[in-house]
Amino acid sequence: MPTAPRYRPVYTALISGLWLALAGGLLTLVLYVWAVSSNFLGLFGDLPDLRTLENPKSELASEMYAADGVLMGKYFRENRSPVTYPDLPRNLVNALLATEDVRFQDHSGIDFKGTFAILYYKLTGQRRGSSTLSQQLAKNLFRTRSDLDNGTLSDTPLRQLIYKTKEWIMAVKLERAYSKPEVLTMYLNTVDFGSNAFGIKVAAKTFFGKAPKDLSAEESAVLVGVLKAPSAYSPVLNPKRAFERRNTVLEQEEKYGFLDGATRVRLAAKPIQLTYSVENANKGIAPYFRTEAGKWLTQWCRKNGHDLYADGLRVYTTIDSRLQRYAEEAVTTHLKTYQKLFDAHWQGQDPWIDEEGKPLAGFLDRAIKQTEHYRYAREHFDGDEAQMSRWLHQKRPMTVFTWNGDKQVNFSPYDSLAYYKRFLHAGFLAMNPLNGKVRAWVGGANYRYFKYDHVKQGRRQPGSTFKPIVYTAAIDNGFSPCYEVADAPVTFPAEAGRPPYTPRNFEGKYSGRRLTLRQALGLSVNSVMAFLVKTLTPETVVEYAKRLGITSELEAVPPIGFGITDVSIYELCGVYGTFVNRGVWTAPVYIARIEDKAGNLLYEYIPTTREVLSEQTAWLMTYMLQAPTGPGGTAVALRGSKYGMTGEFGGKTGTTSNYSDAWFMGITPELVCGTWVGGEDRAIHFRNGDLGQGARQALPIYGLFMKKALADKGAGVSTGPFPRPEAPLTVEIDCVKYKNGVQGDSTQLAPATGPGAEDGEI
C-alpha cells in the first residue's frame, strides 16, 4: 500500500497557521467594530449582554446544613461549591498561571504573543493551546461550543474561527467587568476536575479531603495538571500519567520562577497520596432525611422559581448533628445485634409465614414481580415466561450488604431477593415537642442498599402505641387516671356484617383484678382498652386521633384502639408531642430557613400549631405515660443499668399481631422519639413475644440513643420534670383519696374530683 506523502504534516500545519494568521487580522477588525457594536452584523450569533456578563450563570450545588452548622450534604447535577480569592493558596495560583497563562497579569483577555506563536507551534508539530484563562472562562461560563460537544454541528476551521472569536470578545468583556483575582477565582470555580468534582473547592475535598487553602504545593500541581484532560490525567484512573503531568506542572513553575530547582526536585520525588472520596447521595449524615427533605425542597423551588440542583441555595435544617449521630449509631448497633437473633431464630427456614404460622407459598414469586429485575426481564424477553425465569435464576457476581461490610457473592435476582427479604428494618425520629423541630431522623438500616424511608414514607400498624390516643379521649371526657376497670373480657356485639369481637390480652389471660387506668396503660392491658373503646365509641377515638394529628385514613371499628390502621412514626411523634407541649399540637418541621448563594433570606419557617387539648389533659397524659417506664411497666428496662435513665420520662411500647411490627414511643420535656422495627413485609417476623415484642425489638434503640444524648451536656436533653399546669387539677390522681371518695361504676364515666398529690405508683 502506498504511503502518504511526507509533506502532508507540513502542509496541514501551514494551512492551520494561515487560518490563525487570518484570525489575527480578523480579530483586529472585530475588536475595532466591537467598540461600536457588541455583535458585528450578527456574524457571531448571540453574545451575552452586560447584565449577563456581570451575573454569569454556572451550576452551583445547593448545600444542606444541620442546626449546629455541620454540612450534611448537597443537591447537584454538577457538584460545585464556590470559593473566594482569599481561599486560594499561593501555590495553587502559581501552578495555574505557570501552566495555563503565565502572562495572565499582563494581558486584557487576549494574549497576542501566545496567539500568533501558535503558527510556529503548528509548523513544528507541537500541540500547544493559546487560550488565556479569560478565554477558557468565557468558554466554560457561556458554553460557546456546546453544539460541537453535543454533536449538533461538526467541527470545521471556519466554525472554529467563529467560536474562537466569540471567546476573544467575551474574554475582553470579562476582563473589563471583573478584576484579575475575580477572573481567576471564577475560572477555578467553574472548571471540571473529573470524579464529579466541579470547581476547586469540591476537587480539593474529593481528591485530598481538605479545603483549597490547605493544599500543599504538590497537591495543587496535581489538580492543575488534571485540568488538561480530567480522565486522562486523573490520579485515580491513571495514576502514572497523573504523576508525570504533576511533575510537568512543577517544571513549569520552576521555568517561570515560582519554584527553585531544589524545591522542584524534592516535590517531584513525592508520590501522589490521595484521600479520595466522591460525594453522592449515599454519603453524609442523615441520607434518609436529606432525601425526604429534598422532596419538599423540590416543590418549594418549583413554586418559587428556583433550581435546587443549580442555584447554590443554602438550606438550614433543624437537625442536630450530634443527636443525628447518636441516633444512627443506636439504630446500627441494635439492628446489627438483633439481626443475628433473627437469623438464628429462623435458622434453615424461610422467615415469611402466613397468619397461621405456616410457610407462605409463592412469596418470592409474587415479590419478584415488584422488582426492577423482573420489569427488565419482561421487557427484554417480550414476556416469555420461560426465558424470564432462566434469566431471573441465573447467577452473576454482585456486591451485597452485610452488617460486617460489603460482600462479593454469586447471586441470581431470586437469590438476591431472598437474601434481602431476611433483613430487619427500622425507623427513628427525635423531635422537640415545644416547637416541632426534628432533631434526628434515621429512615432505615443502610441508605446505599435500602432506600425506603420508614419515618415518613413508611406506614405500619402502631399496635399499643396508639392506645394513648384512647386514654386521652377518656381523660378529656372525665376519667381519672385512678379510675378502676376489671381485667376481664369485653365483647363488641356483631354489627353490619361483622361477627362479635372480643379482644385478648397479650398472653391470652385475664387476671380478673381491678386496675386503674394508669396501671392498665403501664401494663398495656387490652381488656381495659376494649372497655374504653366500647364506652367512648370508636367514632370518638377516630375524632381524637385526627385532632392529635393523625392524617392517615382511620376506620371507626372496634379494634381501632389497638392500632390496626397504618400510621407513620412522623405522625405519632406529633401526637405524643402534643402531650408534652401543654395540649398544643405542633406540626413537625425540618427546614428552618433557605438562603440564596449570596446569603439573602428566601424562606423561614413559621410554626403550624393548634390547641387541641387542655393543659390539664395534656399533663395528665405525660403523667399516665410515666407508668410504662415505672416499676412493673412494659418499658421499665430503661431504668436498668444498661440504659440508666432516671427522673421523669414516659413512653409506650407497641406490638402488633404476630409480632410483625415493634414500636416504642418515648417522651422527655425536650424530646419526643418514635421507633419502629420490623421486616420489609408483614409476613416476615419473629414467632414469639420473647423476641418480637416492642420492649425487645424497638425500645433498645431509644435506650441507646438517650444514653448518649443525656450524657452529652451540650445536647440540651434532660429527664423531667414535665411542666405542671399552673391551675389546680380538677381530676384526682391520688388513688387513695380517689378510692375513698366517689368511685364510679365501671360502666359509667368517672366523676371529676378535687386536686390531690400524685401517688407516684402504677
Side-chain angles (χ1 to χ4, degrees), residues 309-381:
Y309 299 93
D311 285 358
L313 304 177
R314 296 180 182 179
V315 180
Y316 295 90
T317 74
T318 62
I319 295 291
D320 184 299
S321 67
R322 295 162 301 179
L323 295 180
Q324 179 66 30
R325 184 172 69 254
Y326 301 152
E328 291 179 358
E329 290 170 353
V331 169
T332 297
T333 298
H334 178 65
L335 285 185
K336 186 175 182 179
T337 299
Y338 229 68
Q339 188 65 49
K340 293 179 181 178
L341 294 175
F342 188 73
D343 292 342
H345 182 76
W346 286 102
Q347 185 68 40
Q349 302 177 64
D350 290 331
W352 34 89
I353 55 178
D354 62 19
E355 291 295 320
E356 298 178 356
K358 298 177 181 179
L360 197 57
F363 175 79
L364 289 181
D365 291 330
R366 290 188 293 273
I368 197 76
K369 294 180 179 180
Q370 308 302 317
T371 67
E372 288 295 329
H373 281 112
Y374 182 86
R375 284 187 281 272
Y376 168 82
R378 184 176 58 188
E379 180 177 344
H380 188 72
F381 297 110

Side-chain angles (χ1 to χ4, degrees), residues 198 210 296 439 505 533 545 641 647 669 682 755:
F198 294 83
K210 57 178 63 173
W296 184 91
R439 313 302 281 164
N505 283 337
V533 172
S641 59
R682 299 182 198 277

Side-chain angles (χ1 to χ4, degrees), residues 195-513:
S195 294
N196 204 23
F198 294 83
I200 187 61
K201 183 176 181 180
V202 177
K205 178 71 173 176
T206 298
F207 291 100
F208 298 108
K210 57 178 63 173
K213 63 183 177 63
D214 298 321
L215 290 170
S216 65
E218 65 272 19
E219 290 169 343
S220 291
V222 170
L223 295 179
V224 169
V226 165
L227 294 176
K228 183 174 182 179
S231 295
Y233 296 105
S234 166
V236 177
L237 301 176
N238 295 293
K240 183 178 179 181
R241 295 183 70 180
F243 180 84
E244 294 170 350
R245 177 64 181 163
R246 180 203 66 178
N247 288 353
T248 298
V249 173
L250 293 174
E251 289 169 2
Q252 288 293 104
E253 291 188 74
E254 180 187 7
K255 176 181 177 180
Y256 292 110
F258 295 118
L259 288 178
D260 59 61
T263 301
R264 194 270 303 166
V265 170
R266 177 175 56 82
L267 296 180
K270 290 186 175 183
I272 297 177
Q273 296 181 328
L274 301 177
T275 305
Y276 183 69
S277 178
V278 178
E279 290 187 81
N280 58 54
N282 296 325
K283 296 181 179 179
I285 64 173
Y288 290 96
F289 167 79
R290 286 187 279 119
T291 298
E292 286 301 308
K295 297 175 183 178
W296 184 91
L297 288 168
T298 300
Q299 292 181 348
W300 180 87
C301 285
R302 188 179 298 119
K303 291 178 181 177
N304 293 276
H306 297 285
D307 186 341
L308 178 63
Y309 299 93
D311 285 358
L313 304 177
R314 296 180 182 179
V315 180
Y316 295 90
T317 74
T318 62
I319 295 291
D320 184 299
S321 67
R322 295 162 301 179
L323 295 180
Q324 179 66 30
R325 184 172 69 254
Y326 301 152
E328 291 179 358
E329 290 170 353
V331 169
T332 297
T333 298
H334 178 65
L335 285 185
K336 186 175 182 179
T337 299
Y338 229 68
Q339 188 65 49
K340 293 179 181 178
L341 294 175
F342 188 73
D343 292 342
H345 182 76
W346 286 102
Q347 185 68 40
Q349 302 177 64
D350 290 331
W352 34 89
I353 55 178
D354 62 19
E355 291 295 320
E356 298 178 356
K358 298 177 181 179
L360 197 57
F363 175 79
L364 289 181
D365 291 330
R366 290 188 293 273
I368 197 76
K369 294 180 179 180
Q370 308 302 317
T371 67
E372 288 295 329
H373 281 112
Y374 182 86
R375 284 187 281 272
Y376 168 82
R378 184 176 58 188
E379 180 177 344
H380 188 72
F381 297 110
D382 294 325
D384 187 315
E385 293 290 342
Q387 289 189 358
M388 290 171 59
S389 179
R390 282 194 295 271
W391 188 85
L392 291 170
H393 284 88
Q394 180 181 337
K395 295 184 184 296
R396 64 209 68 174
M398 66 176 65
T399 302
V400 298
F401 168 79
T402 80
W403 280 112
N404 295 314
D406 293 350
K407 182 180 179 181
Q408 298 297 318
V409 296
N410 282 319
F411 273 177
S412 70
Y414 258 97
D415 295 333
S416 176
L417 177 65
Y419 176 79
Y420 281 118
K421 285 292 185 182
R422 288 175 166 83
F423 277 91
L424 292 175
H425 299 269
F428 178 88
L429 182 71
M431 182 192 85
N432 185 327
L434 306 182
N435 52 31
K437 292 183 177 181
V438 172
R439 313 302 281 164
W441 180 315
V442 184
N446 182 289
Y447 185 77
R448 178 183 174 189
Y449 289 96
F450 308 105
K451 293 290 194 286
Y452 191 81
D453 173 65
H454 291 284
V455 169
K456 189 178 182 183
Q457 185 180 7
R459 283 174 164 78
R460 297 291 283 260
Q461 292 181 347
S464 293
T465 56
F466 193 90
K467 287 180 179 178
I469 295 175
V470 181
Y471 280 93
T472 300
I475 295 296
D476 212 38
N477 280 277
F479 280 93
S480 164
C482 296
Y483 186 79
E484 291 184 354
V485 178
D487 177 17
V490 175
T491 298
F492 292 83
E495 60 177 9
R498 281 194 296 262
Y501 170 60
T502 304
R504 297 187 306 160
N505 283 337
F506 183 72
E507 295 180 348
K509 301 176 181 178
Y510 304 93
S511 66
R513 66 190 181 102

Side-chain angles (χ1 to χ4, degrees), residues 685-708:
H685 52 78
F686 286 99
R687 288 169 291 188
N688 59 61
D690 289 341
L691 294 171
Q693 62 180 286
R696 301 287 179 84
Q697 272 203 94
L699 178 146
I701 292 177
Y702 177 77
L704 292 169
F705 168 78
M706 288 301 295
K707 186 174 185 178
K708 291 184 177 180

Side-chain angles (χ1 to χ4, degrees), residues 31 34-40 46-54 108-110 134-135 137-138 142 166-179 183:
L31 291 179
W34 172 65
V36 181
S37 171
S38 63
N39 187 3
F40 177 51
D46 293 331
L47 292 175
D49 57 20
L50 182 61
R51 178 178 298 179
T52 303
L53 284 167
E54 291 180 349
S108 298
I110 302 172
S134 306
Q135 290 169 238
L137 175 60
F142 305 110
K166 289 173 67 175
E167 290 159 13
W168 283 331
I169 295 172
M170 287 185 282
V172 174
K173 286 188 173 185
L174 284 170
E175 289 270 357
R176 294 182 63 180
Y178 296 96
S179 67
V183 170

